[in-house]
Amino acid sequence: MTTHQETRPSAATKPVRWAADAVATLREGARLRLDYSAQSLWRVDRMIDGIRREQTPYPAVETVLRGLGAYAGEVIVRQTGAEWWAGGGDHWVRTRDGRLWDPIDEARRCFAGDGSLRLLCRDATSGSFP
């Protein structure tokens, strides 16, 4: 007897792990619960803004930002049926309408004071069902 097991593309392996690590770390360290909902990205944006206002050096938060960006990407993937794409060490989300999104870089822009994971998710999830 064989069973069919649905697997995600290999491009998803790293960002899914980064997102899960960020969720676990924030749950344990900051007592912040993230549930992969679009609403949770409000808390993520506020948290990144707080880190920026503390003037934390970028190298100290680079891994956290990568995880939070991957988390936002997973929110988009789960809400729209999008998929992770990878190339040259970078990871993007491709929505079903063919648009590519870079939530990991958006997390970096948030840290620089010029981005929003919540707004990225809103834009990526609107009109992504052809």
Side-chain angles (χ1 to χ4, degrees):
M1 179 172 146
T2 60
T3 60
H4 173 71
Q5 181 178 3
E6 189 173 314
T7 59
R8 295 186 69 181
S10 62
T13 303
K14 285 183 180 179
V16 168
R17 185 177 64 239
W18 296 333
D21 288 348
V23 168
T25 298
L26 292 174
R27 182 179 55 242
E28 297 300 318
R31 305 255 188 257
L32 180 65
R33 292 213 177 273
L34 299 177
D35 60 4
Y36 293 94
S37 68
Q39 294 81 11
S40 69
L41 294 174
W42 282 91
R43 292 187 299 271
V44 173
D45 276 348
R46 283 196 310 266
M47 190 181 81
I48 293 172
D49 186 52
I51 294 169
R52 180 179 50 79
R53 281 187 277 117
E54 291 172 1
Q55 299 180 345
T56 306
Y58 177 77
V61 295
E62 182 176 10
T63 301
V64 172
L65 293 173
R66 182 185 67 193
L68 294 174
Y71 171 78
E74 269 300 288
V75 170
I76 295 166
V77 166
R78 292 176 184 202
Q79 287 194 0
T80 66
E83 61 185 358
W84 282 101
W85 280 41
D90 293 325
H91 293 81
W92 307 276
V93 171
R94 182 179 183 268
T95 49
R96 291 175 24 190
D97 62 5
R99 294 181 294 169
L100 288 174
W101 304 88
D102 192 344
I104 295 171
D105 191 51
E106 188 69 15
R108 293 180 194 118
R109 285 194 294 276
C110 289
F111 182 70
D114 187 34
S116 169
L117 293 172
R118 177 186 58 84
L119 294 178
L120 176 82
C121 180
R122 183 200 65 191
D123 291 349
T125 58
S126 66
S128 62
F129 303 100

